[in-house]
């Protein structure tokens, strides 16, 4: 059995965090800048462009765009939260399977000592691969694949003197296959990815909404502060969506590594 090698970008979360911050700063500038441009445009426009009738039409158009933007943000948040929950569940299941596999190998007897050592080595390396220290070490993802292959080979090499040992070995091999599957799931389902054109369009919508706010708002400090705080709140929502949708990287909302830490503590006892 060959576990394969996950892509190296699973360990490059620092760069992704910087790109997310850049996106959020651009969104903040677009929204707050749109509001300030609206305040300036209102002073430059002829008075007949700022009638109540014109304001009603602009506000209605802005409401349509704002409603569409709110719906899209809600769907993005739901998808990102789903990706976070799925990946957290996979990590929890991986920790539970490691503990259960170690229990089966311990029950098998001293003949499974080599397999238990391979399991401990794999669990320790996988924990560092998914949840590295700060600053993160440069780990070769191929190592965890080789350790998992070695574990499977150790189980397949066990002697089967009776039905009891045969059943334990079969269950251990089945759990190993599940660990293989969970490893691939963490690779194939790293999170939600938002295409760059989609983000650009979303930010443009928000720019238009805040522009319309500024056109028919009085130019005073209270309005400017309100536009800035509203822009900051929406930017925070975008940042949370990007972080939740990328839970396996070094994000601020990274999935907890406690299930693997507890599994390592459990299988470390003799």
């Amino acid at each position: 059995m060959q576990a394969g090698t996950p892509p190296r970008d699973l360990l490059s979360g620092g760069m992704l965090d910087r790109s997310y911050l850049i996106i959020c700063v651009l969104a903040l500038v677009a929204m707050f800048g749109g509001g300030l441009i609206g305040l300036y445009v209102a002073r430059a426009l002829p008075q007949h462009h700022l009638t109540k009738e014109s304001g009603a039409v602009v506000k209605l158009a802005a409401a349509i765009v704002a409603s569409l933007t709110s719906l899209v943000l809600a769907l993005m948040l739901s998808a990102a939260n789903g990706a976070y929950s799925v990946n957290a569940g996979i990590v929890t299941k991986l920790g539970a399977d490691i503990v259960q596999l170690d229990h089966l190998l311990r029950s098998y007897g001293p003949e499974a000592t080599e397999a238990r050592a391979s399991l401990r080595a794999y669990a320790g390396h996988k924990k560092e691969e998914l949840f590295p220290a700060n600053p993160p070490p440069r780990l070769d993802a191929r190592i965890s694949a080789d350790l998992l292959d070695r574990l499977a080979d150790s189980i397949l090499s066990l002697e089967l003197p009776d039905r009891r040992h045969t059943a334990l070995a079969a269950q251990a091999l089945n759990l190993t296959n599940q660990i293989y599957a969970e490893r691939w799931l963490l690779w194939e389902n790293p999170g939600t990815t938002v295409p760059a054109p989609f983000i650009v369009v979303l930010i443009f919508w928000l720019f238009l909404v805040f522009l319309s706010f500024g056109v028919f708002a009085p130019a005073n400090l209270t309005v400017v502060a309100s536009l800035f705080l509203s822009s900051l709140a929406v930017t925070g929502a975008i940042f949370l969506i990007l972080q939740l949708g990328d839970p396996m990287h070094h994000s601020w909302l990274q999935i907890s590594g406690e299930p693997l830490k507890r599994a390592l503590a459990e299988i470390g006892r003799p």
Side-chain angles (χ1 to χ4, degrees):
M1 275 186 258
Q2 297 295 323
T5 305
R8 292 288 300 176
D9 63 355
L10 284 179
L11 302 178
S12 60
M15 183 177 297
L16 287 171
D17 275 350
R18 287 194 294 272
S19 67
Y20 293 163
L21 287 174
I22 292 172
I23 291 172
C24 291
V25 169
L26 290 176
L28 178 62
V29 170
M31 287 182 283
F32 184 56
L36 295 181
I37 291 173
L39 292 175
Y40 174 79
V41 168
R43 298 176 63 183
L45 285 175
Q47 192 61 34
H48 66 274
H49 284 267
L50 302 175
T51 61
K52 291 183 178 180
E53 291 78 8
S54 298
V57 174
V58 172
K59 290 177 182 178
L60 179 60
I64 294 174
V65 178
S67 300
L68 182 60
T69 304
S70 300
L71 178 61
V72 170
L73 284 172
L75 291 175
M76 289 173 61
L77 182 59
S78 177
N81 184 63
Y84 185 92
S85 300
V86 167
N87 282 281
I90 295 173
V91 171
T92 301
K93 181 68 165 52
L94 177 60
D97 285 344
I98 288 173
V99 172
Q100 187 177 358
L101 178 56
D102 182 73
H103 176 73
L104 287 173
L105 295 175
R106 188 186 297 114
S107 300
Y108 191 93
E111 298 86 353
T113 300
E114 181 181 350
R116 290 191 66 201
S118 297
L119 177 62
R120 286 193 294 270
Y122 170 75
H125 192 277
K126 193 64 179 178
K127 183 262 177 187
E128 289 301 322
E129 181 185 321
L130 294 176
F131 309 100
N134 190 20
R138 295 184 63 84
L139 296 179
D140 185 359
R142 181 68 245 178
I143 296 177
S144 63
D146 293 339
L147 291 171
L148 192 54
D149 291 340
R150 188 184 308 168
L151 169 61
D153 291 338
S154 299
I155 295 174
L156 289 170
S157 300
L158 291 173
E159 297 289 338
L160 306 176
D162 51 40
R163 293 176 59 185
R164 176 178 178 275
H165 286 83
T166 300
L168 287 173
Q171 293 179 54
L173 188 60
N174 181 58
L175 278 173
T176 303
N177 289 332
Q178 291 184 34
I179 292 174
Y180 270 107
E182 287 148 9
R183 184 176 188 276
W184 283 112
L185 283 173
L186 288 174
W187 177 21
E188 296 288 352
N189 186 36
T192 57
T193 54
V194 182
F198 189 88
I199 288 290
V200 172
V201 171
L202 180 64
I203 292 176
F204 177 67
W205 289 350
L206 291 168
F207 169 79
L208 292 180
V209 171
F210 277 80
L211 177 66
S212 67
F213 290 163
V215 170
F216 292 94
N220 57 55
L221 184 60
T222 300
V223 169
V224 173
S226 177
L227 290 173
F228 177 76
L229 292 176
S230 299
S231 303
L232 192 63
V234 178
T235 301
I238 294 174
F239 185 73
L240 286 176
I241 289 170
L242 294 173
Q243 291 285 298
L244 278 173
D246 197 18
M248 297 311 301
H249 295 88
H250 305 297
S251 67
W252 292 5
L253 296 175
Q254 186 182 20
I255 288 172
S256 173
E258 282 301 315
L260 288 182
K261 291 181 182 178
R262 290 194 295 267
L264 277 170
E266 176 64 22
I267 68 177
R269 63 187 181 90

